[in-house]
Structures are given as C-alpha cells and as structure tokens.
Amino acid sequence: MLEKIEQYIDSCIEAGDVYGASFSLITPRGIDQYYHGHQGHDQFAVGLDASMIYDLASVTKVVATTTRIFQMLSDHTVRLEDSVARFLPGFAHPEITIQNLLLHNSGLPADIDHLSEMNREDLIRAVYESKLLSKPGERYLYSDLGYMLLGWIIRTVDGSLARSIQDHVCYPLAMTNTGYNLNRPKVRFVPTEFDPRRGQIQGQVHDYKAFLLNGESGHAGLFSTLTDLSVFIEMMLNFGEYQGKRVLDENVFDWLGQFDEHGRTLGWERRNGQHQYFHTGYTGPAIAFDLDRQIGMVVLTNRVYPTSDNQIWNQDRSHVLDLFFEK
C-alpha cells in the first residue's frame, strides 16, 4: 500500500498537479515520513523537509475543534443535546444543538455571501443571524458556520480558542509546531495562494473568514507540520492515549462508531460504515485512520499555490484515500 501511495503521489508531482507533498504512514511499528518535491516555483522552489509548516484549512475542524469538544463532552462541560444558544445567547436558533453542528445537519448554510464586503463584526453578526435552509436534523450540508460556532463555544467555556487548543490538545501531544498564528520564521511556512488584495499568502491563514477573525476560528486557521499531525493520528489509533497520557476518553471512539449520517460521524467523515475516518482541507491536506487495521496517514500539500483554480489535486487526493483504505 505504501509503495502504491508513494508512486501515485510522485506521479501527481511529475504531472504538475502539485509542487510537492509531505506524507506519512502510521502503523504499530512506527511512523514513516516522506518529503517529495518543492514548495513551489521561483523563490518558493524550496525542497520540502520536516520543518515545513502547512495551513490545515478545514483539517482544523477535527484536529482542534472536534478534539476539544470531545474532551468537553467527556467531562460533561457540554452535552450533545445542548442548545448552541446556551453558550452563545445571541445566536438566532435555539433549536440547533451541538450534535447538529458536529454532524453538519444544523440547517445552516455552507458559507456566508458577500464576504469580501465584510469586516469582523459583520461576519460574526452574519453567522449569528443566518437563515436556516432546512430544519435542524433534517438534511446534511457541510457548513463552515457550524464549526465557527463550535469554536466560539470553546472560547466561551475556556476563555480563548487558541489557548484552549494549545493547553488541551497540542501540549499533551507535544505538538510544538501546531497552533493558530504561529510565530515562526516565514520561510518555514509553505506558501498558499497569491491574492490580489493580500499579496502572496505565507504564514498567514488562507481562509478569508478565519482571516477576518484574526486567524483564529473553529473551522480553519490551524497550522501544523507532518510530524505533529502524525503524532495526533497515532493518538487516535491508540484510542485516545499517547505515551501513557490520556488525551481523549475511550468513549469518544464509541461515539464515532455510533453515528453514520451521509457518510459522516461526529466531526469526521466515515468510510463505508467502517471504523475508518478521514478529513480533508481546502488548501490540500488529508488525514485518515483505520482503527481496525491500526494504520493512519497524513498528506500535506500546497494545492492552492499559486492559485486555487487548480482543482486537479482534489481528485488525486480522493484516489490517495482510496489506496489507503483499500483492503
């Protein structure tokens, strides 16, 4: 399997679908890491290595937000059936629960219209006052808004989203190069898109909603490295434990197995009704793990460099996930 994945990713790089990829396979024997290709072209044509930091985009949803919400569910700080409005009183839809947000069946729209005309306050108001497209629980629609709300719930409980993720997720796992608004040399960040307004985005969050929220949101904004994410997946394969420390209660994995709505469980996408879980992000990343086979995978790319018009990697990535989950 590893050989097939490696050969396929190399073929994607050779075809120009992406400039490079950092990827790993996690098994009970350990973690194998690979760095193929470059960041990009011209001054960005730097060979990839273990120090490179990637914008995780929506992978933020599972590594940061879902993980912290799971911890809060386990210690009964929050409950799946809790109304979002219990924590965010200004929110217009008290009928929406935390479970709805995690399953993406809240009825909230996928995104916000006219975003380019908004400032931070406008965006927050637009999320709080969004009109529902369907009744909560009625249908699935993948929504950034739901995870923005989950991030604000974490902030309400813990005082700061960034500090909460640092203290409760990154620190116990020794993920020293993971976080929001990382203060690292610019050259270590894999560049994302060239934006007419913002210029070349490098070391600053790509997602515009997260950018308006000062780089800190429940749906996007996290940066990380291949090494740190491989450790995170190792913890998930070990049912919440890492080097003798319990990061997630084992009951979390019962919850993951309990839900399967439109190929989704709480936070994660679920494969074929199996104990196989994954998530992807707009900038190109994918993380995946199979609890039965005890294997995991992380793939990080700069898909949106220099422009997000390049969609080819999205199909390539689906094939990489097929190869990984293939029995």
Side-chain angles (χ1 to χ4, degrees), residues 22 39 46-54 187-188 190 224-226:
S22 304
Q39 288 193 23
V46 179
L48 296 173
D49 62 41
S51 71
M52 299 302 185
I53 299 168
Y54 288 80
V187 70
R188 287 184 57 190
V190 175
S224 190
T225 62
L226 183 66

Side-chain angles (χ1 to χ4, degrees), residues 5-6 11 25 31-32 45 61 71 75 88 105 156 177 179 215 226 244 246 263 271 279 282 288-289 300 323:
I5 290 171
E6 191 173 5
S11 73
L25 192 71
I31 299 171
D32 294 315
K61 291 182 173 80
Q71 292 170 336
D75 66 19
L88 306 173
N105 66 10
T156 299
N177 288 302
L226 183 66
R246 182 142 295 284
R271 190 84 167 202
H279 210 286
Y282 187 82
F289 63 102
L300 300 174
L323 291 172

Side-chain angles (χ1 to χ4, degrees), residues 115 118-127 148 209 213:
L115 193 60
M118 292 185 177
N119 60 27
R120 182 173 183 272
E121 289 69 30
D122 295 333
L123 173 59
I124 294 168
R125 191 180 313 112
V127 174
M148 294 166 78
K209 294 187 296 297
L213 296 168

Side-chain angles (χ1 to χ4, degrees), residues 173 195 243:
L173 291 169
D195 182 272
Q243 294 188 348

Side-chain angles (χ1 to χ4, degrees), residues 191-195 199-202 206 282 304-309:
T192 53
E193 193 163 16
F194 181 84
D195 182 272
Q200 177 60 58
I201 302 171
Q202 185 180 19
H206 174 266
Y282 187 82
V304 296
Y305 175 85
T307 169
S308 57
D309 293 341

Side-chain angles (χ1 to χ4, degrees), residues 111-124 126 195-198 206-212:
D111 214 334
I112 295 287
D113 293 330
H114 311 299
L115 193 60
S116 62
E117 300 159 20
M118 292 185 177
N119 60 27
R120 182 173 183 272
E121 289 69 30
D122 295 333
L123 173 59
I124 294 168
D195 182 272
R197 289 172 301 175
R198 296 170 61 191
H206 174 266
D207 182 274
Y208 193 63
K209 294 187 296 297
F211 175 70
L212 287 180

